[in-house]
Amino acid sequence: YVIEDHSFGLTLKKDDVETIECFRLFLETDCPIRVINNSYSGANEIRIRDKKIVKDLTDKGVGPNKSKILDCNIISEHIPEELLNHFIRGYFDGDGCISYCKTNNVPILSITATLESCLFFEKFLNTGNKILKDKRHETVYTIKTAKKEKIKEIAKYMYSDSTVFMKRKYSRFSEYGLI
């Protein structure tokens, strides 16, 4: 996230603190990782104040209230095509889900985003599914697929040549036989 005081940060479930530690090492910062207790399950957060990085992020389409306004089509213009799988995986690690429906015996992959970003993901991932509006939020949509072979193809694409990813989500792909 980006906030208007020239700070940016990363907040993840408490189980994903390793990802925040990796982020902190990559940025070579000694900023502390804070524990946030909430009614859901708790989280960890790192916040870094750096005007240049915030300006670079904002210039590339990542700004305050990103969940409501982010358009991955604009951001992707600044990413070389050979690195798009890493961007998509990073987005998935933050706002994607891999689960398993025991009733129908099928895996389900979903990504929550703005409508524009869902259209971007559909263009690259070609799920062939509809984009669903979240009735609880004005600007939130979800793209989903329950096609096992398509999910395997998406996982192979997202994790190709990867060294940094959320281990919890990768493990689910593996557990469900999708990688």
Side-chain angles (χ1 to χ4, degrees):
Y1 62 84
V2 173
I3 54 179
E4 293 175 2
D5 73 346
H6 306 294
S7 297
F8 68 100
L10 180 63
T11 303
L12 297 171
K13 281 179 64 173
K14 67 180 177 183
D15 298 343
D16 299 318
V17 68
E18 185 178 322
T19 302
I20 294 179
E21 289 170 352
C22 184
F23 182 70
R24 182 169 68 174
L25 283 172
F26 176 79
L27 292 174
E28 298 177 348
T29 181
D30 59 357
C31 290
I33 296 173
R34 295 182 331 129
V35 176
I36 300 170
N37 292 314
N38 59 28
S39 60
Y40 177 61
S41 66
N44 289 296
E45 172 188 65
I46 186 168
R47 185 182 294 179
I48 301 164
R49 190 174 177 94
D50 189 307
K51 286 183 180 182
K52 182 186 179 330
I53 291 177
V54 169
K55 181 178 179 347
D56 289 346
L57 288 168
T58 304
D59 289 348
K60 291 172 178 55
V62 179
N65 297 313
K66 72 172 177 48
S67 298
K68 296 179 181 175
I69 62 170
L70 192 71
D71 184 345
C72 290
N73 291 292
I74 293 170
I75 294 170
S76 68
E77 293 172 4
H78 303 282
I79 301 171
E81 190 170 336
E82 67 273 11
L83 299 178
L84 276 174
N85 67 311
H86 301 295
F87 170 72
I88 291 171
R89 184 184 63 258
Y91 193 100
F92 176 82
D93 277 350
D95 288 325
C97 179
I98 182 71
S99 59
Y100 205 84
C101 177
K102 292 178 183 173
T103 308
N104 298 331
N105 198 31
V106 294
I108 300 168
L109 180 141
S110 64
I111 299 174
T112 301
T114 61
L115 177 59
E116 294 79 11
S117 292
C118 280
L119 291 168
F120 166 84
F121 293 122
E122 176 56 27
K123 180 173 70 176
F124 278 92
L125 303 178
N126 194 24
T127 66
N129 286 16
K130 291 181 180 175
I131 295 170
L132 307 169
K133 172 123 179 48
D134 184 329
K135 294 178 177 129
R136 298 168 295 169
H137 304 283
E138 189 176 320
T139 59
V140 177
Y141 294 79
T142 300
I143 184 166
K144 264 183 197 188
T145 186
K147 300 171 187 167
K148 187 173 185 174
E149 291 308 311
K150 176 50 77 175
I151 295 172
K152 281 183 173 182
E153 183 183 311
I154 291 169
K156 182 178 178 184
Y157 172 73
M158 286 195 312
Y159 291 103
S160 174
D161 298 323
S162 65
T163 56
V164 177
F165 49 83
M166 198 172 290
K167 289 177 178 32
R168 174 176 55 87
K169 292 194 179 182
Y170 180 86
S171 294
R172 282 211 185 132
F173 281 102
S174 182
E175 177 186 333
Y176 302 151
L178 301 166
I179 288 185

